[in-house]
Amino acid sequence: MTDQIMDVSMETVSFFSRYRTAHWTEALAIVIIAALLISNPILRRSRQPEDRMFRKLCYAGLFFSLICLLQVFTGKENIAAISWNSFAGHLIERGPDLINLLYTFMLLLFVDLAVYHSTGGTKRRYVFYIIPFAAVVVLWITEYIFKRNYANYDEELIRLGYVYLAAYVLTELIYLLQAFRVVITYQRDNKQPLFLRLDLIVIPEIFAFVMKVFFGLYLDCISIAVELLLLHMSMANRYRYLDFETGFYKESFIDFMKRHVQKKQYRGGCVADIRGKGDIMATAALLTDCKPERSVIFRMDDGDFLLLSSVDREAALKYFIQMIQEEALRRDPGNEIDVRYWLDNRDETTEEFVKRVLTERKEVS
């Protein structure tokens, strides 16, 4: 039985050592992630919830890569000398799994924040998603206890190992599939573009999986680094068009939005020109709290806010205007809100509607 256990131990060490043949990728991953954090001043300073979560994703990727690189520096001799059923041996074999799973959970939170921009909403939606991660942690600890105290029961250990791996893979799939579901649902229900390409994540994930299974190369670290790089690149237009002071889009985004609406062949809706007489940030906060669903707001260069919404009934639009006017006075008696609005005529194209709104708006100004 002791010989069998030693064989399993040596197989584990050999498997781990084969993974380490690609150890240079950990250093490369650290360089890529660090460059992402250093090279983008907007990302470093932004207070947007999705940007804060993206920074945390980068930190998690850095930590994961550093742990893997630290394992390399311990040397094969030190790794082989560690008892397979010790805590250190279990940490080497399974520890990075938990960090990787935590990274995937944080990726789900980032996607939800990037789509809905609501920290409170994200917390409410995903508080119970911690349970699968906690279950994997419990299995991780249970497996170590079995190794430590029931080393002779190798069959039970093998079965427990399969249960742990199944729970780990299932939890990671739950997080990834939910992230895709958030994006797909948003794109189906909303008219505004989403600067997020989750399909880009699939490419490095699949590549890392193939290299691990068929060639014994451990490329998880570089896979995470490439994922973060591709996510950052897919969000490039967002940094170009977003006004980080208010969280709304800049006036220059109107042309981009017009092309998007034409491409998707969306029809119907309204545009409201909103001007507050009080503090501009107070008006921005008011619109953030009260804006209708499936709407997008632009901060215009002259200080007004332009709201584009799928609301196509005048009664509903008037109710929204009355609500924000009353709420503005309740918050600040001096902040009177003036609103002009336009409804989309069915006999005009999107380009004609936008042109009419901007022309009439300039005439009044």
Side-chain angles (χ1 to χ4, degrees), residues 4 46 55 76 84 86 91 102 177 184 189 201 209 220 241 247 251 258 270 273-275 290 299 307 311 346 357:
Q4 291 178 349
S46 174
R55 288 196 295 266
K76 293 182 180 180
W84 79 286
S86 67
L91 193 63
L102 179 61
L177 290 175
I184 292 171
D189 297 339
I201 298 177
F209 178 79
D220 284 11
Y241 293 121
E251 183 174 342
K258 182 175 64 176
C270 68
D273 185 20
I274 303 168
R275 175 179 297 179
C290 302
R299 181 181 182 179
L307 181 142
V311 175
R346 297 295 180 177
V357 169

Side-chain angles (χ1 to χ4, degrees), residues 6 19 41 58 73 80 82 106 110-111 138 163 192 205 212-213 254 263 287 295 316 333 362:
M6 288 302 298
Y19 276 7
C58 290
F73 287 147
I82 296 174
M106 292 170 63
F110 162 75
V111 169
V138 170
V163 172
Q192 57 181 299
E205 285 279 358
K212 181 189 298 185
V213 172
I254 291 177
K263 181 180 178 181
L287 294 176
S295 62
K362 288 182 179 179

Side-chain angles (χ1 to χ4, degrees), residues 71-130:
Q71 291 175 343
V72 175
F73 287 147
T74 60
K76 293 182 180 180
E77 297 80 7
N78 293 336
I79 294 172
I82 296 174
S83 173
W84 79 286
N85 63 343
S86 67
F87 182 78
H90 189 60
L91 193 63
I92 288 175
E93 182 183 7
R94 301 291 201 198
D97 294 348
L98 300 183
I99 303 174
N100 194 26
L101 195 60
L102 179 61
Y103 167 87
T104 308
F105 178 59
M106 292 170 63
L107 178 65
L108 169 60
L109 299 182
F110 162 75
V111 169
D112 192 84
L113 288 169
V115 169
Y116 296 109
H117 314 288
S118 172
T119 303
T122 299
K123 288 180 179 179
R124 288 192 301 271
R125 282 188 287 271
Y126 297 105
V127 62
F128 293 108
Y129 278 70
I130 301 175

